[in-house]
Amino acid sequence: MRRRFFWGMVAVAVTTLLVGGLAAAALISRSVEASARTEFARQAAATARLLEADLPAGAQGEGRARLVQILRDVALVGGHEFVEAAVVGPRGAVTPLGEGGVLLDQVPGIAGLSGVVAFDAEVDGKRVTAVAQPIRLGERGTLVVVIGTALELIPWGEVLGRFIWALALALILAAVLAASFSRFAAGRLGRLQAAARRVAGGDLTARVPVEGSDELGDMAVAFNDMAGQLEAARRREREFLVAVGHDLRTPLTTIGGYAEAMGEGRIAPDDMARVGGVLGAESDRLRRLIEDLMLLSRIEAAEFTLRPEPVDLAAHLRGVLDGFRGRTEAARVHLVGAIDDVGTISTDPDRIAQVVGNLLENALRYTPEAGTVTLALHRTAPGLVLEVTDSGPGIDPGDLPHVFERLYVATRYRPVRPEGSGLGLAIVRQLVAEMGGTAEVVAPPGGGTTIRLMLPDGRDTGSAPGEQKRP
């Protein structure tokens, strides 16, 4: 990993330098050539003005010699290999004013030249960079001065040598930086890897130091969050097992004690009915706990099946409510229904009854005598709202985020609510989630608790009843 990272960084650095160097060389070459042509044009214009001043009516004798000398002086002072001039007559005749005319012959469109022309010529197989500058002479035609050079405008050999040295130095520096950074990054990855192995080995307390705010830092934060959640999940699982063990041990202890007493004949005949009732109640408690555990495990393992069908939800809930009236009357609790007619809904009636039954049982355990339990149903824009409200002591604000956790309520409020499996609200949340809804709890400061379920509208469209695993 470190080697790949190191060579990858070096390769990127070398490629960047090469591409940047070639691009810079091309840009510099164009810039230098453009600057040279501009300078040639300026010198050609100055030379043309000198020639114009000394140009005789007929370029012969001393006058011609004077023009030739001017061209030589310009070539010597400017360091040009080629300085040529000619007069282009009104009819296009070209009359050279100096010695030779190798560039004049290659000026594009010299007979009709009206402005500065930069062009490339060839002399003895060499490329010549040249500029032609025309100046009007009135009726005599046009004076054209051509300046050119075959010399390299940029000493590429020297430049290439320096570039190679710079590339070598940059390569060494990139290698040093890549080695340093790869060691640093590999160290951070190594610490992350070591922590991951500790977690895989069962040590959920392993954490990674967060170094920096880059991607590796974000990865360390995410790893620590994951490890923290796993540790919390293991703690909850341990607490869950302890609580389940307690809830199983209590009725088993009661049943075992009475069974032993019955076997030894220590129970009077008059107490047999009472003892039988106790044994039956404890057996029902065990049965509910086991059934709730099995149901919750099936839901969490995605082995849960919904069977939606058209249901008159309001009438269905009224029937569930009527089934609890005997218990509420015995407990001297008022049971109120505030159920709106929401029409026929496509849902699983058995699971709806199970959810509402769990909520009503939970509310009845908290509500004191002369208290009230209310079941409400109404439609809102987002969907259906189903609420069960009790007038019990309420829930502490710090416990609200944990109400739907397994056995949390049963453990936290055991003195207030000694009975129940402690899994009812966890099952409610899972069932509602499977049906595409959400569950929340509201506990105002003055007491009382409301469990609010948001369910999809699910208005029946006349389709046949079906079966689905997960909505």
Side-chain angles (χ1 to χ4, degrees), residues 196-204 234:
R197 287 177 176 172
R198 288 175 58 190
V199 170
D203 182 9
L204 299 183
R234 173 176 287 183

Side-chain angles (χ1 to χ4, degrees), residues 4 27 101 137 148 341 351 424 434:
R4 289 197 299 269
L27 292 174
L137 299 175
D341 188 1
R351 299 309 176 188
E434 294 295 327

Side-chain angles (χ1 to χ4, degrees), residues 167-177:
L167 182 62
L169 291 175
L171 181 60
I172 294 173
L173 180 60
V176 172
L177 291 176

Side-chain angles (χ1 to χ4, degrees), residues 252-267 275 279:
L252 285 175
T253 300
T254 302
I255 293 173
Y258 276 116
E260 183 180 354
M262 291 175 66
E264 295 176 355
R266 290 186 285 110
I267 298 179
V275 171
L279 293 176

Side-chain angles (χ1 to χ4, degrees), residues 372-428:
T372 303
V373 173
T374 303
L375 172 63
L377 172 69
H378 58 276
R379 174 177 278 121
T380 63
L384 300 177
V385 177
L386 193 154
E387 295 177 336
V388 173
T389 303
D390 65 65
S391 57
I395 299 177
D396 291 341
D399 295 328
L400 291 178
H402 308 287
V403 164
F404 293 103
E405 294 178 7
R406 296 176 295 181
L407 297 175
Y408 182 86
V409 173
T411 303
R412 179 74 171 79
Y413 294 89
R414 191 177 299 278
V416 180
R417 196 190 81 171
E419 295 184 358
S421 69
L423 301 174
L425 292 181
I427 291 174
V428 166

Side-chain angles (χ1 to χ4, degrees), residues 99-111:
E99 301 171 344
V102 292
L103 296 186
L104 288 170
D105 295 338
Q106 301 182 54
V107 176
I110 189 172

